[in-house]
Amino acid sequence: MGIELLGGRILAPYFGSSVHIWGSIITVFMLSLSIGYLVGGRLSIHAASLSRYGLIFLIAGFTVLPVVLWAEPIMEAIFIRVEDSRYGSFLASMALFFIPTIILGMISPYSVRLLVTDKERSGQVAGMLYFVSTLGSAMGTIITSFYFVLLFEVNTIIYAFSSLLMILGLAAILYQRFVISSSHNLPGVTVE
């Protein structure tokens, strides 16, 4: 949600901040999240592991970086070629946010797969995960809009989000590799 919220500020210098700009941003995020949910659900079926989960976070962190590194030339090229700010903002949103948001959308269904150990409790696990996820999104939105934008430049915030995703990804991979692998050697402990 923090990246989506910052999307308005990123696009504003070229396309303004009217309701159709926000419509473009929200549409791209909803579309790409829905695709990410499908892909993440599909990936979670085949040999789900904490290492693969961590890899999703790492890829998400890397795919967020072009928002900082290439936003200006991308928006400028679109702005020059597309006169209508509605379509220009939609194309710019697609170029900047589509891929990273698909990857971010993969996290939720993959999380459900890793957390569900008993099909009888799958609904409860999914409900708790979506509760935590939505609460985290709300907190991320309020903290970003009330504090981060006052204290830091947009690019700094995006770099921080990217770094956090990569750190979480590395933590998951290292946890799988060293903690879970070493406990696999203990009697009575199984690893999926």
Side-chain angles (χ1 to χ4, degrees):
M1 285 301 297
I3 295 170
E4 182 177 3
L5 186 64
L6 295 174
R9 280 195 117 161
I10 292 168
L11 267 61
Y14 287 90
F15 304 103
S17 59
S18 65
V19 70
H20 60 265
I21 306 306
W22 280 104
S24 295
I25 294 167
I26 292 168
T27 299
V28 167
F29 271 81
M30 292 177 74
L31 176 64
S32 51
L33 281 172
S34 66
I35 293 168
Y37 297 152
L38 284 174
V39 173
R42 175 69 89 191
L43 284 176
S44 73
I45 294 172
H46 307 289
S49 72
L50 201 53
S51 290
R52 290 180 186 203
Y53 185 63
L55 188 59
I56 294 170
F57 277 86
L58 280 174
I59 293 169
F62 281 113
T63 60
V64 166
L65 288 176
V67 173
V68 174
L69 301 174
W70 302 322
E72 292 290 324
I74 288 171
M75 288 188 298
E76 187 173 325
I78 292 170
F79 181 75
I80 290 169
R81 288 170 180 80
V82 181
E83 286 186 30
D84 192 327
S85 65
R86 293 175 300 176
Y87 303 111
S89 65
F90 183 74
L91 289 173
S93 294
M94 288 291 286
L96 294 173
F97 307 119
F98 188 69
I99 299 297
T101 309
I102 287 175
I103 307 300
L104 289 166
M106 294 166 57
I107 293 171
S108 290
Y110 209 96
S111 300
V112 170
R113 170 61 182 93
L114 290 177
L115 292 172
V116 171
T117 56
D118 175 14
K119 70 179 181 179
E120 301 299 321
R121 296 189 52 221
S122 61
Q124 180 183 6
V125 169
M128 181 57 74
L129 176 72
Y130 288 119
F131 166 77
V132 170
S133 174
T134 304
L135 186 63
S137 292
M139 290 177 62
T141 299
I142 209 80
I143 290 169
T144 300
S145 63
F146 282 24
Y147 302 106
F148 287 169
V149 294
L150 298 175
L151 300 172
F152 307 105
E153 291 193 11
V154 170
N155 287 350
T156 303
I157 300 168
I158 299 286
Y159 277 129
F161 289 158
S162 174
S163 299
L164 180 61
L165 286 165
M166 288 188 239
I167 288 167
L168 291 171
L170 284 173
I173 291 167
L174 293 174
Y175 186 80
Q176 170 82 42
R177 190 146 301 164
F178 295 111
V179 176
I180 293 177
S181 294
S182 65
S183 67
H184 180 59
N185 297 327
L186 298 175
V189 177
T190 59
V191 178
E192 287 187 10

